[in-house]
Amino acid sequence: MRYSSIPTAQSVILHCKAKGVKDIVISPGSRNAPLTIGFTEDPYFKCYSVVDERCAAFFALGIAQNTGKIVAVVCTSGSAMLNYYPAVAEAFYSDIPLLVISADRPSYRIDIGDGQTIRQENVFKNHIGYQANLKQDVSHATTTIQKFGEQLLSAKKTVEEQQKDINTFNSAELQNAIDYAVNEYAPVHINVPLEEPLYNTEEYSCVYPTVKEEEETIPESCSKLDDFASIWNTSTRKMILVGVNKPNVVEQQFLDEVAEDESVIVFTETTSNIHHSTFFNSIDSILAPIEKSENKEELFTALKPDVLLTFGGLIVSKKIKHFLRTYKPKHHWHIDGKKAYNTFYSLSHHFKVDTNTFFNAFLDKTKFVDSTYYAKWSKVKLNYEEKREAYLKTIPFSDMLAFSQILPSIPDGYQVHLSNSSTVRYAQLFPLKNTLKVYCNRGTSGIDGSTSTAVGASIYNKKPTLLVTGDLSFLYDSNALWNNYVKPNFRIIVINNSGGGIFRILPGQEETENYKTYFETAHNLEIENLCNMYNVDYKLANDENTLNQHLEDFYKESDKAILLEVKTPRIINNKILLSYFDFIS
């Protein structure tokens, strides 16, 4: 086994190993060679080579999202590291432990006109959990430092003494950074200045960092709930709204108990991975008809909760946000062990525990309340479900009809990744099987990185992975397929409406050349050509019959990944969606 001859590079590798950081996503480069050597030479690590840094970071995020464990990304100096930023921001808002390790030039090489030298320290400062700016070794390339970076050397200490201090400082920073990522489920950044020569190696390590043992954590508890239970037990209208959740996080027994209370309605999103026959899984189908109603004020007032209880991550539905911001609940309580966003400008309490801990303590103190709240809105739910089925029989082939065919076709147990924009919003309109595990990058809700995230998430997933995405999101992240880790059971469905179809739904769209070019971004790109380049099997559906035919074979075992392109008309999709809300009204 070989080690880099640079002490700090050795220290980074040894700390990662000691802390159980096993998955390392490396983008090729020169300045990060000492780190690459260290990780790839040690069989403990599972290393991946992903050239495009933006894809690499989302690929790593997908692994971490799926496993819940910290994953490292390693890149060279300069602009390479800036390509990590979209995934870093997503990890920051989605509480995903991402370890960003960037190689850097020595401080005396910055701002002198050298290539690939930027100010890397603290570059992620607004969207990072912890920043560790390591110190440059002085025992390595000492002659060069004496010539160009004399300010790094101390007149009061020998090089050996100073190097010992540097080792101690770097070791402490590495410990703090990795511990923070693990304990806080957050991205952290470790910046590593490295001087040439970069490729020299030795058989034995020259640093022996002290790694502190993890302190035993005290189990969370939830006390002083009597006052909250009193409010709950005297309220006849209680709404539970569930955002992004990992699959199988919340114990079903608590959900079943909540479902029995007539004074409670539970709104879930596709990304919540929460299921019960009495829950409302298409929020917009409740709210859109009210918006169009002549007596909307009366209906919205009847829906307005006394108590709003939320848990999970960010909310997709704009309509529920608008409703709760306009018709604010008297009490808004949020359950989360880390943070609580004041999404509806009415947050009154943050229960800083996990959801199961809260329900385990709280539900014993609650009682069922006589109320017509659930019964009233359950009738509305049954009505729109019946009308939705009737509406689907009246519409031509379109985005909405395609989703109504695709979502029920997904086999049990699949891991399903949804891209943002139109895809996740269409998925919100239909129920999904409770055996599916649904993911979507809702931290920043960007279209960048959806494919890369899904590919990364598939690595450790025994069941197949399906990505459902729009054409712009797929094309934007097409380099996601530029690696050797796309599994044969990986499936992609691209809904291609030849542009950013969601902009046709938003207010202000006009049928002009400027609109088509700068908002909708209409295009005629051939996705089949990308499939040929990346050795992915390609299928095309452009009507209801061919889609059904392809879906019959699409999920069967194969020798390589398969992409199914579903071409829908560019012009009519928005009219069909908006007419749906008119129809169920």
PDB file of all heavy atoms in Angstrom, residues 561-585:
ATOM      1  N   ALA A 561     -29.006  -0.339 -18.827  1.00  0.00           N
ATOM      2  CA  ALA A 561     -30.062   0.596 -18.449  1.00  0.00           C
ATOM      3  C   ALA A 561     -30.955   0.913 -19.647  1.00  0.00           C
ATOM      4  O   ALA A 561     -30.532   0.824 -20.795  1.00  0.00           O
ATOM      5  CB  ALA A 561     -29.451   1.873 -17.890  1.00  0.00           C
ATOM      6  N   ILE A 562     -32.193   1.296 -19.340  1.00  0.00           N
ATOM      7  CA  ILE A 562     -33.161   1.600 -20.395  1.00  0.00           C
ATOM      8  C   ILE A 562     -33.766   2.985 -20.148  1.00  0.00           C
ATOM      9  O   ILE A 562     -34.130   3.321 -19.014  1.00  0.00           O
ATOM     10  CB  ILE A 562     -34.293   0.556 -20.438  1.00  0.00           C
ATOM     11  CG1 ILE A 562     -33.727  -0.855 -20.637  1.00  0.00           C
ATOM     12  CG2 ILE A 562     -35.293   0.881 -21.542  1.00  0.00           C
ATOM     13  CD1 ILE A 562     -34.770  -1.951 -20.550  1.00  0.00           C
ATOM     14  N   LEU A 563     -33.877   3.744 -21.220  1.00  0.00           N
ATOM     15  CA  LEU A 563     -34.552   5.040 -21.166  1.00  0.00           C
ATOM     16  C   LEU A 563     -35.781   4.991 -22.066  1.00  0.00           C
ATOM     17  O   LEU A 563     -35.700   4.578 -23.223  1.00  0.00           O
ATOM     18  CB  LEU A 563     -33.623   6.159 -21.623  1.00  0.00           C
ATOM     19  CG  LEU A 563     -34.179   7.588 -21.583  1.00  0.00           C
ATOM     20  CD1 LEU A 563     -33.084   8.596 -21.246  1.00  0.00           C
ATOM     21  CD2 LEU A 563     -34.842   7.993 -22.911  1.00  0.00           C
ATOM     22  N   LEU A 564     -36.911   5.402 -21.523  1.00  0.00           N
ATOM     23  CA  LEU A 564     -38.146   5.503 -22.281  1.00  0.00           C
ATOM     24  C   LEU A 564     -38.491   6.982 -22.436  1.00  0.00           C
ATOM     25  O   LEU A 564     -38.739   7.677 -21.452  1.00  0.00           O
ATOM     26  CB  LEU A 564     -39.282   4.773 -21.557  1.00  0.00           C
ATOM     27  CG  LEU A 564     -40.705   4.966 -22.110  1.00  0.00           C
ATOM     28  CD1 LEU A 564     -40.798   4.521 -23.565  1.00  0.00           C
ATOM     29  CD2 LEU A 564     -41.719   4.211 -21.248  1.00  0.00           C
ATOM     30  N   GLU A 565     -38.451   7.457 -23.675  1.00  0.00           N
ATOM     31  CA  GLU A 565     -38.822   8.843 -23.946  1.00  0.00           C
ATOM     32  C   GLU A 565     -40.307   8.893 -24.299  1.00  0.00           C
ATOM     33  O   GLU A 565     -40.780   8.153 -25.166  1.00  0.00           O
ATOM     34  CB  GLU A 565     -38.002   9.410 -25.100  1.00  0.00           C
ATOM     35  CG  GLU A 565     -38.354  10.855 -25.429  1.00  0.00           C
ATOM     36  CD  GLU A 565     -37.549  11.415 -26.591  1.00  0.00           C
ATOM     37  OE1 GLU A 565     -36.815  10.630 -27.252  1.00  0.00           O
ATOM     38  OE2 GLU A 565     -37.658  12.622 -26.855  1.00  0.00           O
ATOM     39  N   VAL A 566     -41.037   9.748 -23.585  1.00  0.00           N
ATOM     40  CA  VAL A 566     -42.472   9.909 -23.822  1.00  0.00           C
ATOM     41  C   VAL A 566     -42.692  11.305 -24.390  1.00  0.00           C
ATOM     42  O   VAL A 566     -42.566  12.305 -23.675  1.00  0.00           O
ATOM     43  CB  VAL A 566     -43.275   9.723 -22.522  1.00  0.00           C
ATOM     44  CG1 VAL A 566     -44.774   9.823 -22.805  1.00  0.00           C
ATOM     45  CG2 VAL A 566     -42.942   8.384 -21.868  1.00  0.00           C
ATOM     46  N   LYS A 567     -42.970  11.372 -25.675  1.00  0.00           N
ATOM     47  CA  LYS A 567     -43.158  12.672 -26.323  1.00  0.00           C
ATOM     48  C   LYS A 567     -44.617  13.101 -26.228  1.00  0.00           C
ATOM     49  O   LYS A 567     -45.517  12.382 -26.670  1.00  0.00           O
ATOM     50  CB  LYS A 567     -42.719  12.605 -27.788  1.00  0.00           C
ATOM     51  CG  LYS A 567     -41.208  12.591 -27.966  1.00  0.00           C
ATOM     52  CD  LYS A 567     -40.816  12.840 -29.416  1.00  0.00           C
ATOM     53  CE  LYS A 567     -39.301  12.978 -29.554  1.00  0.00           C
ATOM     54  NZ  LYS A 567     -38.888  13.281 -30.942  1.00  0.00           N
ATOM     55  N   THR A 568     -44.822  14.272 -25.656  1.00  0.00           N
ATOM     56  CA  THR A 568     -46.166  14.816 -25.527  1.00  0.00           C
ATOM     57  C   THR A 568     -46.254  16.144 -26.279  1.00  0.00           C
ATOM     58  O   THR A 568     -45.225  16.794 -26.511  1.00  0.00           O
ATOM     59  CB  THR A 568     -46.535  15.033 -24.045  1.00  0.00           C
ATOM     60  OG1 THR A 568     -45.632  15.999 -23.484  1.00  0.00           O
ATOM     61  CG2 THR A 568     -46.445  13.736 -23.263  1.00  0.00           C
ATOM     62  N   PRO A 569     -47.455  16.568 -26.651  1.00  0.00           N
ATOM     63  CA  PRO A 569     -47.591  17.823 -27.408  1.00  0.00           C
ATOM     64  C   PRO A 569     -47.152  19.024 -26.571  1.00  0.00           C
ATOM     65  O   PRO A 569     -47.528  19.147 -25.400  1.00  0.00           O
ATOM     66  CB  PRO A 569     -49.090  17.895 -27.722  1.00  0.00           C
ATOM     67  CG  PRO A 569     -49.598  16.503 -27.540  1.00  0.00           C
ATOM     68  CD  PRO A 569     -48.747  15.890 -26.484  1.00  0.00           C
ATOM     69  N   ARG A 570     -46.383  19.897 -27.137  1.00  0.00           N
ATOM     70  CA  ARG A 570     -45.855  21.051 -26.394  1.00  0.00           C
ATOM     71  C   ARG A 570     -46.954  22.048 -26.027  1.00  0.00           C
ATOM     72  O   ARG A 570     -46.917  22.642 -24.948  1.00  0.00           O
ATOM     73  CB  ARG A 570     -44.787  21.751 -27.241  1.00  0.00           C
ATOM     74  CG  ARG A 570     -44.124  22.938 -26.554  1.00  0.00           C
ATOM     75  CD  ARG A 570     -42.995  23.493 -27.391  1.00  0.00           C
ATOM     76  NE  ARG A 570     -43.455  24.112 -28.624  1.00  0.00           N
ATOM     77  CZ  ARG A 570     -43.849  25.389 -28.706  1.00  0.00           C
ATOM     78  NH1 ARG A 570     -43.856  26.154 -27.639  1.00  0.00           N
ATOM     79  NH2 ARG A 570     -44.250  25.885 -29.860  1.00  0.00           N
ATOM     80  N   ILE A 571     -47.935  22.222 -26.891  1.00  0.00           N
ATOM     81  CA  ILE A 571     -48.870  23.334 -26.759  1.00  0.00           C
ATOM     82  C   ILE A 571     -50.003  23.066 -25.763  1.00  0.00           C
ATOM     83  O   ILE A 571     -50.395  23.950 -25.016  1.00  0.00           O
ATOM     84  CB  ILE A 571     -49.472  23.704 -28.132  1.00  0.00           C
ATOM     85  CG1 ILE A 571     -48.348  24.059 -29.114  1.00  0.00           C
ATOM     86  CG2 ILE A 571     -50.468  24.853 -28.003  1.00  0.00           C
ATOM     87  CD1 ILE A 571     -47.541  25.268 -28.715  1.00  0.00           C
ATOM     88  N   ILE A 572     -50.533  21.841 -25.717  1.00  0.00           N
ATOM     89  CA  ILE A 572     -51.813  21.635 -25.013  1.00  0.00           C
ATOM     90  C   ILE A 572     -51.686  21.227 -23.542  1.00  0.00           C
ATOM     91  O   ILE A 572     -52.679  21.215 -22.822  1.00  0.00           O
ATOM     92  CB  ILE A 572     -52.662  20.567 -25.744  1.00  0.00           C
ATOM     93  CG1 ILE A 572     -51.958  19.191 -25.664  1.00  0.00           C
ATOM     94  CG2 ILE A 572     -52.935  20.975 -27.169  1.00  0.00           C
ATOM     95  CD1 ILE A 572     -52.827  18.049 -26.163  1.00  0.00           C
ATOM     96  N   ASN A 573     -50.495  20.882 -23.078  1.00  0.00           N
ATOM     97  CA  ASN A 573     -50.372  20.333 -21.729  1.00  0.00           C
ATOM     98  C   ASN A 573     -50.913  21.267 -20.654  1.00  0.00           C
ATOM     99  O   ASN A 573     -51.583  20.847 -19.708  1.00  0.00           O
ATOM    100  CB  ASN A 573     -48.908  19.995 -21.428  1.00  0.00           C
ATOM    101  CG  ASN A 573     -48.451  18.750 -22.149  1.00  0.00           C
ATOM    102  OD1 ASN A 573     -49.058  17.694 -22.029  1.00  0.00           O
ATOM    103  ND2 ASN A 573     -47.375  18.859 -22.916  1.00  0.00           N
ATOM    104  N   ASN A 574     -50.587  22.543 -20.754  1.00  0.00           N
ATOM    105  CA  ASN A 574     -51.041  23.484 -19.740  1.00  0.00           C
ATOM    106  C   ASN A 574     -52.559  23.614 -19.734  1.00  0.00           C
ATOM    107  O   ASN A 574     -53.188  23.699 -18.662  1.00  0.00           O
ATOM    108  CB  ASN A 574     -50.390  24.854 -19.939  1.00  0.00           C
ATOM    109  CG  ASN A 574     -50.766  25.495 -21.276  1.00  0.00           C
ATOM    110  OD1 ASN A 574     -50.696  24.854 -22.314  1.00  0.00           O
ATOM    111  ND2 ASN A 574     -51.158  26.764 -21.242  1.00  0.00           N
ATOM    112  N   LYS A 575     -53.164  23.610 -20.921  1.00  0.00           N
ATOM    113  CA  LYS A 575     -54.623  23.725 -20.998  1.00  0.00           C
ATOM    114  C   LYS A 575     -55.300  22.516 -20.362  1.00  0.00           C
ATOM    115  O   LYS A 575     -56.317  22.646 -19.667  1.00  0.00           O
ATOM    116  CB  LYS A 575     -55.051  23.870 -22.462  1.00  0.00           C
ATOM    117  CG  LYS A 575     -54.554  25.137 -23.149  1.00  0.00           C
ATOM    118  CD  LYS A 575     -55.042  25.201 -24.588  1.00  0.00           C
ATOM    119  CE  LYS A 575     -54.592  26.496 -25.276  1.00  0.00           C
ATOM    120  NZ  LYS A 575     -53.133  26.567 -25.443  1.00  0.00           N
ATOM    121  N   ILE A 576     -54.727  21.327 -20.572  1.00  0.00           N
ATOM    122  CA  ILE A 576     -55.316  20.103 -20.013  1.00  0.00           C
ATOM    123  C   ILE A 576     -55.213  20.113 -18.490  1.00  0.00           C
ATOM    124  O   ILE A 576     -56.167  19.742 -17.792  1.00  0.00           O
ATOM    125  CB  ILE A 576     -54.633  18.862 -20.613  1.00  0.00           C
ATOM    126  CG1 ILE A 576     -55.056  18.708 -22.072  1.00  0.00           C
ATOM    127  CG2 ILE A 576     -54.970  17.605 -19.820  1.00  0.00           C
ATOM    128  CD1 ILE A 576     -54.320  17.618 -22.814  1.00  0.00           C
ATOM    129  N   LEU A 577     -54.084  20.538 -17.970  1.00  0.00           N
ATOM    130  CA  LEU A 577     -53.922  20.575 -16.520  1.00  0.00           C
ATOM    131  C   LEU A 577     -54.869  21.589 -15.887  1.00  0.00           C
ATOM    132  O   LEU A 577     -55.549  21.282 -14.898  1.00  0.00           O
ATOM    133  CB  LEU A 577     -52.472  20.901 -16.154  1.00  0.00           C
ATOM    134  CG  LEU A 577     -52.197  21.004 -14.651  1.00  0.00           C
ATOM    135  CD1 LEU A 577     -52.465  19.674 -13.950  1.00  0.00           C
ATOM    136  CD2 LEU A 577     -50.755  21.443 -14.395  1.00  0.00           C
ATOM    137  N   LEU A 578     -54.901  22.782 -16.423  1.00  0.00           N
ATOM    138  CA  LEU A 578     -55.765  23.820 -15.851  1.00  0.00           C
ATOM    139  C   LEU A 578     -57.242  23.451 -16.003  1.00  0.00           C
ATOM    140  O   LEU A 578     -58.047  23.736 -15.106  1.00  0.00           O
ATOM    141  CB  LEU A 578     -55.468  25.163 -16.519  1.00  0.00           C
ATOM    142  CG  LEU A 578     -54.052  25.710 -16.270  1.00  0.00           C
ATOM    143  CD1 LEU A 578     -53.814  26.982 -17.078  1.00  0.00           C
ATOM    144  CD2 LEU A 578     -53.805  25.959 -14.787  1.00  0.00           C
ATOM    145  N   SER A 579     -57.570  22.788 -17.087  1.00  0.00           N
ATOM    146  CA  SER A 579     -58.958  22.352 -17.280  1.00  0.00           C
ATOM    147  C   SER A 579     -59.335  21.253 -16.293  1.00  0.00           C
ATOM    148  O   SER A 579     -60.520  21.094 -15.938  1.00  0.00           O
ATOM    149  CB  SER A 579     -59.170  21.856 -18.711  1.00  0.00           C
ATOM    150  OG  SER A 579     -59.009  22.900 -19.631  1.00  0.00           O
ATOM    151  N   TYR A 580     -58.352  20.485 -15.853  1.00  0.00           N
ATOM    152  CA  TYR A 580     -58.618  19.449 -14.841  1.00  0.00           C
ATOM    153  C   TYR A 580     -59.185  20.081 -13.574  1.00  0.00           C
ATOM    154  O   TYR A 580     -60.177  19.601 -13.003  1.00  0.00           O
ATOM    155  CB  TYR A 580     -57.334  18.671 -14.527  1.00  0.00           C
ATOM    156  CG  TYR A 580     -57.394  17.901 -13.224  1.00  0.00           C
ATOM    157  CD1 TYR A 580     -58.235  16.798 -13.084  1.00  0.00           C
ATOM    158  CD2 TYR A 580     -56.622  18.283 -12.127  1.00  0.00           C
ATOM    159  CE1 TYR A 580     -58.298  16.091 -11.894  1.00  0.00           C
ATOM    160  CE2 TYR A 580     -56.684  17.582 -10.932  1.00  0.00           C
ATOM    161  CZ  TYR A 580     -57.515  16.488 -10.809  1.00  0.00           C
ATOM    162  OH  TYR A 580     -57.593  15.804  -9.631  1.00  0.00           O
ATOM    163  N   PHE A 581     -58.577  21.164 -13.133  1.00  0.00           N
ATOM    164  CA  PHE A 581     -59.055  21.811 -11.920  1.00  0.00           C
ATOM    165  C   PHE A 581     -60.451  22.411 -12.133  1.00  0.00           C
ATOM    166  O   PHE A 581     -61.268  22.434 -11.205  1.00  0.00           O
ATOM    167  CB  PHE A 581     -58.054  22.879 -11.468  1.00  0.00           C
ATOM    168  CG  PHE A 581     -56.738  22.312 -11.001  1.00  0.00           C
ATOM    169  CD1 PHE A 581     -55.553  22.704 -11.585  1.00  0.00           C
ATOM    170  CD2 PHE A 581     -56.696  21.372  -9.990  1.00  0.00           C
ATOM    171  CE1 PHE A 581     -54.337  22.173 -11.162  1.00  0.00           C
ATOM    172  CE2 PHE A 581     -55.498  20.825  -9.555  1.00  0.00           C
ATOM    173  CZ  PHE A 581     -54.310  21.230 -10.138  1.00  0.00           C
ATOM    174  N   ASP A 582     -60.729  22.876 -13.343  1.00  0.00           N
ATOM    175  CA  ASP A 582     -62.089  23.348 -13.654  1.00  0.00           C
ATOM    176  C   ASP A 582     -63.078  22.178 -13.606  1.00  0.00           C
ATOM    177  O   ASP A 582     -64.186  22.299 -13.069  1.00  0.00           O
ATOM    178  CB  ASP A 582     -62.133  23.991 -15.041  1.00  0.00           C
ATOM    179  CG  ASP A 582     -61.436  25.329 -15.084  1.00  0.00           C
ATOM    180  OD1 ASP A 582     -61.416  26.020 -14.049  1.00  0.00           O
ATOM    181  OD2 ASP A 582     -60.887  25.680 -16.149  1.00  0.00           O
ATOM    182  N   PHE A 583     -62.653  21.045 -14.156  1.00  0.00           N
ATOM    183  CA  PHE A 583     -63.532  19.880 -14.256  1.00  0.00           C
ATOM    184  C   PHE A 583     -63.925  19.355 -12.876  1.00  0.00           C
ATOM    185  O   PHE A 583     -65.103  19.062 -12.630  1.00  0.00           O
ATOM    186  CB  PHE A 583     -62.822  18.778 -15.052  1.00  0.00           C
ATOM    187  CG  PHE A 583     -63.690  17.609 -15.394  1.00  0.00           C
ATOM    188  CD1 PHE A 583     -64.435  17.591 -16.570  1.00  0.00           C
ATOM    189  CD2 PHE A 583     -63.773  16.506 -14.555  1.00  0.00           C
ATOM    190  CE1 PHE A 583     -65.233  16.502 -16.897  1.00  0.00           C
ATOM    191  CE2 PHE A 583     -64.560  15.418 -14.870  1.00  0.00           C
ATOM    192  CZ  PHE A 583     -65.301  15.417 -16.042  1.00  0.00           C
ATOM    193  N   ILE A 584     -62.963  19.245 -11.972  1.00  0.00           N
ATOM    194  CA  ILE A 584     -63.283  18.699 -10.643  1.00  0.00           C
ATOM    195  C   ILE A 584     -63.968  19.736  -9.766  1.00  0.00           C
ATOM    196  O   ILE A 584     -64.437  19.413  -8.667  1.00  0.00           O
ATOM    197  CB  ILE A 584     -62.033  18.149  -9.925  1.00  0.00           C
ATOM    198  CG1 ILE A 584     -61.011  19.259  -9.639  1.00  0.00           C
ATOM    199  CG2 ILE A 584     -61.412  17.017 -10.708  1.00  0.00           C
ATOM    200  CD1 ILE A 584     -59.819  18.787  -8.791  1.00  0.00           C
ATOM    201  N   SER A 585     -64.028  20.981 -10.244  1.00  0.00           N
ATOM    202  CA  SER A 585     -64.742  22.009  -9.483  1.00  0.00           C
ATOM    203  C   SER A 585     -66.245  21.925  -9.697  1.00  0.00           C
ATOM    204  O   SER A 585     -66.987  22.645  -9.055  1.00  0.00           O
ATOM    205  CB  SER A 585     -64.257  23.396  -9.898  1.00  0.00           C
ATOM    206  OG  SER A 585     -62.885  23.540  -9.629  1.00  0.00           O
TER     207      SER A 585
END
